[in-house]
Amino acid sequence: MYDWQYFFKSDRSNLNQGTYRIFEPEWKAEILHWFSREDVDKQQKENFIQALIDFDDGCGDFYRYRAYFLAAEAIAKFPESRLADGIVEQILKWSYGYFRQDRRAWQILPQPLVERARKTLELTDRNRVVTAFVHLVHTTESRTIMRLAAEKLGKLDPGNKSAIAALALMPIAEDEYGFCQRSYSLAEIGVGDETAITTFIHEIQTNPDAESCSQSISGLGKIADGNETAIAALIHLMETTQNKHNCQEAIASLRRIASGNQNAIVALSKFLQQNQGDRICYDAACALWQIDPGNQVAIQALVNIIATSARGYLVDSAAAYLLEISPKNQEAIASLLEIIENTKNESLLYTAAFYLWQFEPVNPQVISTLSQLIQTTQDESVRYYAADSLLKTDPDNPLAIATLYQILESDSIEYRRLYVAKILVKTDEYRYKAIQTVCELVKSPDKYTFSEAIAAFLQVLDPNHPLTIDTYIHLLNTTKNTSILMDVIWSLQRLNLDNKLFQEKLTELISTLVQLIQTFVDSDEQNSCSIKPTIDISYESYLLDIADSLNKILPVEHLPKFLTSLKDYLNQHLYKNSSYRYEAVLKIIWHCAENLNYPEFYQLWHSK
């Protein structure tokens, strides 16, 4: 039997004489087992927990929090601790990121602390956590915290009546966002609960044509599987609402909860007979098939869409679904052939040819049609789609590859060149040229319309090829477009960091990311903004994402260097003037604290 100081004896005057097994992952299971042993004196356990929650690490509180979280996990093994209630209350406060200390001020907490606290809530004494959440739901003045607490309570304790009642009786927010959030939370925890189901049905019946009603319709589809009253309410709404979006939502919810229900089958079949050829007809056909697999009314509705619709996207959707549920459908094949023979719409012609090949892979008319399209059409978009489709049919087709290369070299539509680059980067012959083209196109600070194409290109870069890491570094150093910058940041996790060819470049990549942490600015800091946002997202989120990526690629042996180079950023001056940069640096140093032993971190923290 160990005395608790065997695991933990703090002595900062002589760190080598202290014992800090509490911070070593390999000792965690042993420590928690020690707390569960009946042959260990209870006072020993109390003393150990007291030492953990009182620990002052002397280096930014990173290890103080780690010690406190260990104490929280320990009380799951030692729930009779007199300190347990206070520990759970503290973890709960930390888990929300902001909480009201009094009526005058809110405290903002670091994101890593919040995330770790939320994980610890699932590891500590469950009964106390549930009790604490029930108390919070009933006492908080914040509508947001009440909603979040009720949602968490419902997940910790499925079917908890306090959580469901709190959301069901929650005053409806005047703004649509608040209403959506409340409906989302109720749908998350109210599966099968009559109170939640009744609440959604009442809201649907009260405002069947309101835009906000769609949240209640969707929520009902998540929680009311097989419920006859809910199914009847959705059928009635589908048949009577003047709001097309709400009708679509009702059909989608029926698809989820009405499997085998005869009333739903009859209602959807009738709906399809009264509606022809539009998107809502497609939704109804898919719903009917899922509720009643093998239903011929559903199949016929999809065939009719292919035969009659002039909208390429609808033909595409109907053909794709039919291919899944009726892959040899002769009526669909005949309709696609008719489109090829008669339509003057080249995009629709391409769609028909593509799906005809899917239905009948050996049909030579597909390759012939696509080849003819490439050679005769004046529409560059159709040439691109035809060549792309032809490569799917014949991966080495020289006409398709030559056509795509021509588009890459000369097309005036830049986003199309980017999509072509996504295809050609997979080839050995044109990989370098494709990467070079993309790097040139993103240099202009005014090009914001093709971020989606850049993201698609990044997704197909070979994570093992040396050119990939070179491309990431180049884009990080040259792009003026924040969306593209963040697409690169998010793509870094795809890199195979075990690739020996990457090791030299990895240091350069890490230095580039550290420089971004240090220099990334927004318009509040500097009148001339060097990196401009294209989507509505906070700069704090950008910096935190950069920090996340950096943490994922930082080799452990480099952590001491980064700790010493960044620790001075954690000061009140930086927090007041650039809080988002402070948060990003804190996240990186938190990562260092989780991967370095305490004595080493302490000495580095106090080094000059």
Side-chain angles (χ1 to χ4, degrees):
M1 181 182 71
Y2 298 123
D3 178 277
W4 68 269
Q5 292 193 38
Y6 174 79
F7 300 114
F8 177 40
K9 180 180 180 182
S10 180
D11 184 2
R12 288 212 302 271
S13 63
N14 189 344
L15 289 169
N16 292 327
Q17 294 300 311
T19 54
Y20 298 96
R21 294 185 174 96
I22 62 169
F23 302 125
E24 297 172 15
E26 63 269 23
W27 279 94
K28 184 176 180 180
E30 179 79 12
I31 291 170
L32 293 178
H33 175 68
W34 181 90
F35 275 102
S36 69
R37 289 172 54 172
E38 294 183 1
D39 60 340
V40 175
D41 183 72
K42 289 185 178 180
Q43 192 56 49
Q44 277 263 336
K45 296 178 183 179
E46 290 284 13
N47 291 344
F48 193 2
I49 288 180
Q50 188 73 62
L52 288 171
I53 65 175
D54 287 344
F55 179 56
D56 176 11
D57 62 13
C59 51
D61 286 342
F62 296 96
Y63 291 83
R64 178 176 80 86
Y65 289 131
R66 288 184 62 184
Y68 205 103
F69 289 133
L70 181 59
E73 292 189 48
I75 63 172
K77 307 294 185 180
F78 179 48
E80 60 268 36
S81 171
R82 61 182 174 79
L83 300 167
D85 289 336
I87 291 172
V88 169
E89 181 181 357
Q90 181 60 71
I91 298 296
L92 185 61
K93 288 179 178 179
W94 283 339
S95 74
Y96 277 91
Y98 55 93
F99 61 91
R100 206 166 189 171
Q101 295 280 49
D102 53 41
R103 292 184 176 272
R104 292 169 294 176
W106 292 81
Q107 181 176 351
I108 308 299
L109 300 176
Q111 187 186 39
L113 173 61
V114 174
E115 292 173 352
R116 182 65 185 274
R118 289 177 179 174
K119 290 179 182 177
T120 303
L121 281 176
E122 300 174 4
L123 302 173
T124 189
D125 183 0
R126 183 179 177 278
N127 290 333
R128 278 190 168 88
V129 173
V130 170
T131 300
F133 268 115
V134 170
H135 178 73
L136 182 60
V137 164
H138 287 295
T139 59
T140 182
E141 298 177 5
S142 166
R143 180 180 293 173
T144 299
I145 288 183
M146 192 273 281
R147 177 181 61 76
L148 293 172
E151 183 179 326
K152 184 65 176 179
L153 177 57
K155 292 179 179 179
L156 282 170
D157 186 24
N160 186 284
K161 297 301 181 183
S162 292
I164 293 170
L167 290 172
L169 298 174
M170 183 177 177
I172 302 302
E174 294 181 2
D175 61 294
E176 186 175 344
Y177 176 78
F179 179 81
C180 291
Q181 290 297 306
R182 170 266 193 188
S183 298
Y184 173 82
S185 295
L186 187 57
E188 284 290 294
I189 69 171
V191 176
D193 184 87
E194 287 297 330
T195 299
I197 292 171
T198 301
T199 299
F200 281 138
I201 290 175
H202 174 73
E203 291 168 0
I204 291 169
Q205 293 173 339
T206 302
N207 299 292
D209 296 324
E211 292 295 331
S212 59
C213 182
S214 66
Q215 297 299 320
S216 301
I217 302 168
S218 176
L220 201 58
K222 294 177 181 178
I223 68 173
D225 189 18
N227 186 287
E228 293 288 349
T229 306
I231 292 170
L234 291 170
I235 290 172
H236 179 73
L237 180 69
M238 178 187 72
E239 294 174 337
T240 60
T241 183
Q242 301 301 307
N243 186 311
K244 190 171 183 179
H245 177 68
N246 287 353
C247 183
Q248 287 179 294
E249 287 290 343
I251 290 170
S253 289
L254 282 172
R255 183 177 181 176
R256 290 193 290 264
I257 70 171
S259 179
N261 185 281
Q262 288 302 310
N263 291 331
I265 293 170
V266 171
L268 285 166
S269 298
K270 181 180 177 181
F271 184 89
L272 284 170
Q273 291 165 0
Q274 296 173 344
N275 296 271
Q276 295 292 325
D278 59 5
R279 177 72 199 194
I280 203 166
C281 182
Y282 165 77
D283 292 336
C286 295
L288 180 56
W289 177 271
Q290 189 153 331
I291 292 170
D292 183 28
N295 189 289
Q296 293 303 304
V297 175
I299 289 180
Q300 192 59 52
L302 294 169
V303 170
N304 289 341
I305 289 174
I306 295 173
T308 62
S309 180
R311 302 174 187 175
Y313 77 92
L314 261 184
V315 173
D316 187 296
S317 299
Y321 200 75
L322 260 182
L323 189 64
E324 180 182 339
I325 66 175
S326 184
K328 303 295 184 182
N329 191 287
Q330 293 302 305
E331 285 189 80
I333 292 171
S335 295
L336 292 170
L337 282 169
E338 187 175 348
I339 290 173
I340 291 174
E341 292 171 1
N342 299 318
T343 188
K344 296 184 182 298
N345 183 325
E346 291 177 320
S347 178
L348 188 59
L349 182 63
Y350 154 73
T351 300
F354 174 78
Y355 280 103
L356 183 57
W357 165 71
Q358 298 273 32
F359 277 102
E360 287 191 338
V362 296
N363 192 322
Q365 190 169 350
V366 176
I367 293 177
S368 174
T369 299
L370 293 173
S371 299
Q372 185 177 2
L373 265 178
I374 290 171
Q375 294 171 318
T376 61
T377 184
Q378 300 300 309
D379 188 326
E380 283 292 273
S381 178
V382 174
R383 288 183 75 222
Y384 159 69
Y385 286 123
D388 183 22
S389 182
L390 189 53
L391 280 182
K392 291 181 174 68
T393 307
D394 179 11
D396 298 317
N397 187 281
L399 175 62
I401 292 174
T403 300
L404 290 173
Y405 182 68
Q406 183 182 4
I407 293 173
L408 183 73
E409 287 280 87
S410 60
D411 199 316
S412 60
I413 307 298
E414 292 177 337
Y415 74 82
R416 191 153 55 227
R417 294 174 68 196
L418 289 169
Y419 279 117
V420 169
K422 182 193 78 168
I423 300 169
L424 293 181
V425 77
K426 300 174 188 177
T427 68
D428 291 335
E429 184 178 1
Y430 296 115
R431 178 183 290 113
Y432 181 79
K433 181 61 179 178
I435 289 175
Q436 186 181 47
T437 299
V438 171
C439 290
E440 287 297 319
L441 287 173
V442 300
K443 284 184 179 179
S444 171
D446 300 321
K447 302 299 182 185
Y448 296 114
T449 59
F450 49 71
S451 295
E452 183 180 338
I454 294 289
F457 173 81
L458 293 171
Q459 284 300 306
V460 299
L461 283 175
D462 182 354
N464 291 292
H465 201 285
L467 272 176
T468 298
I469 196 168
D470 283 331
T471 304
Y472 288 156
I473 293 170
H474 180 82
L475 292 176
L476 288 173
N477 285 322
T478 59
T479 185
K480 304 295 184 181
N481 182 317
T482 303
S483 291
I484 294 173
L485 174 73
M486 296 315 299
D487 283 332
V488 176
I489 295 296
W490 296 325
S491 296
L492 291 177
Q493 60 185 312
R494 298 181 61 249
L495 281 174
N496 178 8
L497 298 178
D498 294 329
N499 190 331
K500 294 181 180 179
L501 297 174
F502 285 1
Q503 296 312 304
E504 289 186 15
K505 288 292 182 179
L506 186 58
T507 300
E508 184 180 353
L509 176 60
I510 291 171
S511 297
T512 300
L513 291 173
V514 170
Q515 186 177 14
L516 271 175
I517 292 286
Q518 295 170 331
T519 62
F520 190 96
V521 296
D522 70 11
S523 55
D524 291 333
E525 281 192 293
Q526 185 171 303
N527 291 330
S528 177
C529 179
S530 62
I531 303 176
K532 301 177 181 179
T534 58
I535 52 178
D536 186 17
I537 186 171
S538 69
Y539 278 89
E540 181 170 334
S541 296
Y542 288 140
L543 265 294
L544 293 177
D545 282 341
I546 295 171
D548 280 336
S549 292
L550 186 56
N551 285 341
K552 289 173 182 176
I553 67 173
L554 269 176
V556 174
E557 59 270 22
H558 290 193
L559 294 182
K561 172 186 175 182
F562 287 98
L563 173 59
T564 53
S565 66
L566 292 174
K567 64 186 177 70
D568 291 338
Y569 279 82
L570 295 185
N571 58 67
Q572 284 300 310
H573 175 75
L574 181 68
Y575 182 79
K576 290 178 180 179
N577 291 280
S578 185
S579 61
Y580 58 86
R581 196 182 321 281
Y582 179 96
E583 289 285 329
V585 171
L586 186 144
K587 202 165 194 176
I588 296 169
I589 296 181
W590 187 286
H591 175 75
C592 294
E594 289 186 328
N595 290 276
L596 294 173
N597 65 56
Y598 171 64
E600 181 182 11
F601 186 98
Y602 181 89
Q603 291 168 343
L604 291 167
W605 184 266
H606 291 282
S607 64
K608 300 297 183 182

